Amino acid sequence: MIKFIKNFRKDEDGAVTVDWVVLTAAVVALAGAAYGAIESGSSDLTSSTGDFISGKAPS
């Protein structure tokens, strides 16, 4: 039983998988946040541009 515990403590195969899962989740979360910021910014810009153009009198 002691040998099993020592081998279990030395084994690092699962730790690499956990690191990649956490890293991938962080990248996905950052991409979602960036998409939200870009989407709301572009919607505001489109709305402002439309208001500006509709306020101009035809020449």
Side-chain angles (χ1 to χ4, degrees), residues 12-51:
E12 296 183 2
D13 289 338
V16 174
T17 303
V18 172
D19 290 343
W20 276 106
V21 168
V22 170
L23 182 63
T24 303
V27 168
V28 168
L30 287 173
Y35 174 77
I38 291 169
E39 189 269 333
S40 66
S42 64
S43 295
D44 293 343
L45 179 63
T46 303
S47 176
S48 298
T49 304
D51 291 343

